[in-house]
Amino acid sequence: MATGMDKPVDEVDPQPADTHALNDQLTDWDREHFWHSFTQMQDYQPLVIERADGIWLETTDGQRLIDAASSMWCNVHGHNHPVINAAIRDQLGRVAHCTSLGMGNDTTIRLAKRLADMAPGNLRRVLFSSDGSSAIEVALKAAFQYWQQCDNHGGGPRPEKTKFLAFGDAYHGDTVGAASVGGIGRFHSLFQPLLFDVVRAPLPNRDAVPLEVNPADAAAYYLEQLEPLFAEHAHELAAVVIEPLVQCAAGMVMHPPGFLAGLRELATRHDVLLIADEVAVGFGKTGTMFACEQEGVVPDFLCLGKGLTGGYLPMAVTITNDAIYEAFLGDAASGRQLYHGHTFCGNPLAAAAAMACLDVFEQQQLLDALPAKFQRLSGWFDRLAQHPAVTSTRQTGIIAAANFDTARELSGDQPIGRQVAAEALRRGVWLRPQPHMLYVMPPLAISLEEIDQMMTIVEQSIEVATGTHR
């Protein structure tokens, strides 16, 4: 097998003498060797980040960009935060990793206790994983196994409860189980032969109810559609899985108020477990630490990731209650333990970052500062709603989105959303390009002045891309 050692000396990682040449070389290597996630590499234009600070990213050629998507929804307190940096350095000097199979470490144990104390209601058993998709896999497998092992109020196990209910246009990750409960065809339809079937419920979009339905009754409208699905399938449903309040990858689709609480009631009444996927929406993005708290809901499984470490290191958790946990207890020969785990579950470096992230929430009383930021963002999106190229806007907490008038797009041109993102990039804001919409989900650490700076560029970019003005 060939390795770098087989190459001539002058071909192994040469270092150009000047910065411009090094930038060109990194760009070439990026194209030639780095296969990027969710990216059509034929069209990829390299954007190489060298450093970051606060809400700002800096490219190798010195351009500064506002991180308007918080590095795919995970950065909370800003990049290069001194408290999180120090916590990782301290942990690095003690132990960088030890397995969670049959042992623990002090930092991860403290994090488990802290998360158990913070989690809603009776959620107190914490199982670590390395990413959001894995956290969902844990919940799906644990829910499935639970029904095989639980005592159904003295009536024995319920092995027929092997299916899951999920929503249209859902996204819960890309591993096989998470992809199965996903509902966005362009992501997973190719892999359909690998996936298991689910019971699919309608997308609960608060902005898409029929005209004859009073917006105040939107939650009831969608819950009425769920009733027959639960009635028909409850006997075979292990769990229902949902992103509380906002389905992010669906296009920042926002659920009507009261829907989550109604879903919890339906699931409880029909003896179906509730899995809350807060990988994207947790850690303050909706105004409370967990989105479920907005409607007083306690799920059976709470899945967290992304912002858990402040966007620093891969770590996710699945938190559940004692009743579910106890169904997995038995002697060594029972085979009742959950057969799921990865090498880096509970990694101490990631746990140290997570502890520091939670420290910053408390020290800066960050949740208390959020309403003013949400209000400032709301004012900007109210303003965008008046733009002739914008058909609708919506917001939940720090998450805000706008849709564009597709009738304005000319054949052969890039969709408006991608044109806006390209123009914003030139002006100093990184938006995740979307064909017919834009969204912002900046770090919670963003200041009011930085919101104004970000949204001024967004508005200017819409005007340039569409040739129209508000």
Side-chain angles (χ1 to χ4, degrees):
M1 181 176 66
T3 69
M5 297 300 293
D6 302 309
K7 298 178 183 178
V9 173
D10 61 353
E11 292 183 18
V12 179
D13 298 343
Q15 296 298 315
D18 63 271
T19 301
H20 183 74
L22 177 59
N23 291 344
D24 288 345
Q25 186 179 76
L26 286 170
T27 296
D28 290 342
W29 288 350
D30 191 16
R31 286 196 185 98
E32 292 171 8
H33 304 298
F34 190 170
W35 193 345
H36 290 257
S37 307
F38 282 89
T39 300
Q40 176 46 257
M41 296 305 296
Q42 180 170 295
D43 301 328
Y44 171 64
Q45 297 298 317
L47 179 66
V48 183
I49 305 302
E50 184 178 46
R51 62 184 70 247
D53 191 73
I55 70 161
W56 295 90
L57 304 170
E58 186 172 324
T59 67
T60 51
D61 59 4
Q63 184 184 16
R64 281 168 53 81
L65 303 169
I66 293 176
D67 188 358
S70 59
S71 292
M72 284 314 296
W73 319 338
C74 69
N75 192 281
V76 177
H77 303 302
H79 300 274
N80 199 21
H81 195 285
V83 173
I84 305 177
N85 290 359
I88 294 172
R89 282 194 295 265
D90 177 70
Q91 183 64 46
L92 188 61
R94 297 191 296 120
V95 56
H97 181 64
C98 66
T99 182
S100 66
L101 279 68
M103 70 171 65
N105 72 88
D106 60 334
T107 306
T108 308
I109 292 167
R110 290 189 180 97
L111 176 59
K113 166 61 174 167
R114 192 166 184 179
L115 290 170
D117 289 344
M118 294 172 57
N122 60 352
L123 301 178
R124 59 187 299 269
R125 303 291 183 169
V126 182
L127 203 155
F128 289 95
S129 54
S130 55
D131 57 75
S133 185
S134 296
I136 297 298
E137 294 286 332
V138 170
L140 296 174
K141 291 172 74 173
F144 179 95
Q145 188 173 340
Y146 167 77
W147 289 112
Q148 311 304 306
Q149 298 179 173
C150 75
D151 181 2
N152 181 35
H153 309 298
R158 296 282 297 277
E160 74 275 20
K161 290 174 78 69
T162 60
K163 289 190 176 181
F164 295 89
L165 187 149
F167 291 87
D169 284 348
Y171 177 83
H172 299 288
D174 300 313
T175 49
V176 170
S180 296
V181 293
I184 302 178
R186 69 182 183 277
F187 293 157
H188 302 134
S189 59
L190 176 66
F191 306 107
Q192 194 59 48
L194 303 177
L195 309 181
F196 57 75
D197 291 332
V198 303
V199 177
R200 188 69 63 187
L203 171 68
N205 186 344
R206 78 182 186 199
D207 298 319
V209 293
L211 292 176
E212 62 270 18
V213 176
N214 188 318
D217 298 326
Y221 169 77
Y222 289 114
L223 290 168
E224 286 173 4
Q225 296 178 59
L226 277 180
E227 284 272 8
L229 289 177
F230 273 92
E232 179 181 355
H233 296 284
H235 70 282
E236 60 182 351
L237 287 178
V240 53
V241 57
I242 190 169
E243 283 184 276
L245 306 189
V246 185
Q247 289 182 215
C248 294
M252 302 305 170
V253 171
M254 299 179 181
H255 299 168
F259 178 79
L260 181 63
L263 177 63
R264 170 73 276 186
E265 190 279 328
L266 264 177
T268 301
R269 176 155 42 97
H270 289 278
D271 204 18
V272 175
L273 301 176
L274 174 62
I275 300 170
D277 175 358
E278 294 212 20
V279 172
V281 298
F283 294 101
K285 294 188 184 71
T286 67
T288 48
M289 186 62 78
F290 308 114
C292 287
E293 296 177 279
Q294 295 280 331
E295 298 192 6
V297 165
V298 179
D300 298 291
F301 294 94
L302 177 63
C303 299
L304 304 169
K306 290 189 182 290
L308 173 60
T309 67
Y312 264 66
L313 290 167
M315 175 173 268
V317 294
T318 305
I319 312 178
T320 192
N321 56 52
D322 284 346
I324 291 172
Y325 171 81
E326 289 167 3
F328 291 82
L329 301 181
D331 61 30
S334 69
R336 294 172 69 88
Q337 64 263 40
L338 178 64
Y339 284 96
H340 188 99
H342 298 153
T343 301
F344 291 98
C345 290
N347 173 259
L349 284 179
M355 288 288 282
C357 174
L358 298 177
D359 287 343
V360 176
F361 265 107
E362 294 177 2
Q363 293 165 4
Q364 297 185 356
Q365 298 183 310
L366 184 58
L367 294 178
D368 293 339
L370 293 179
K373 298 179 182 183
F374 297 168
Q375 185 175 4
R376 182 66 64 91
L377 194 60
S378 176
W380 275 103
F381 272 80
D382 287 345
R383 178 182 171 99
L384 288 187
Q386 307 305 312
H387 195 283
V390 174
T391 57
S392 64
T393 61
R394 54 201 175 279
Q395 180 189 5
T396 295
I398 203 69
I399 308 166
N403 281 56
F404 295 115
D405 181 3
T406 57
R408 293 176 174 270
E409 295 175 358
L410 301 176
S411 177
D413 284 350
Q414 280 281 334
I416 290 177
R418 296 193 187 281
Q419 293 182 53
V420 170
E423 186 61 36
L425 183 64
R426 285 190 285 272
R427 293 169 177 266
V429 170
W430 186 78
L431 301 170
R432 172 69 173 157
Q434 302 291 321
H436 309 301
M437 62 165 288
L438 70 80
Y439 72 82
V440 298
M441 192 193 299
L444 298 182
I446 193 170
S447 67
L448 298 179
E449 293 75 16
E450 288 168 333
I451 290 174
D452 290 342
Q453 187 175 358
M454 174 181 71
M455 293 307 302
T456 296
I457 291 174
V458 167
E459 184 178 63
Q460 291 171 347
S461 300
I462 292 173
E463 291 174 350
V464 170
T466 64
T468 58
H469 298 271
R470 189 176 67 87

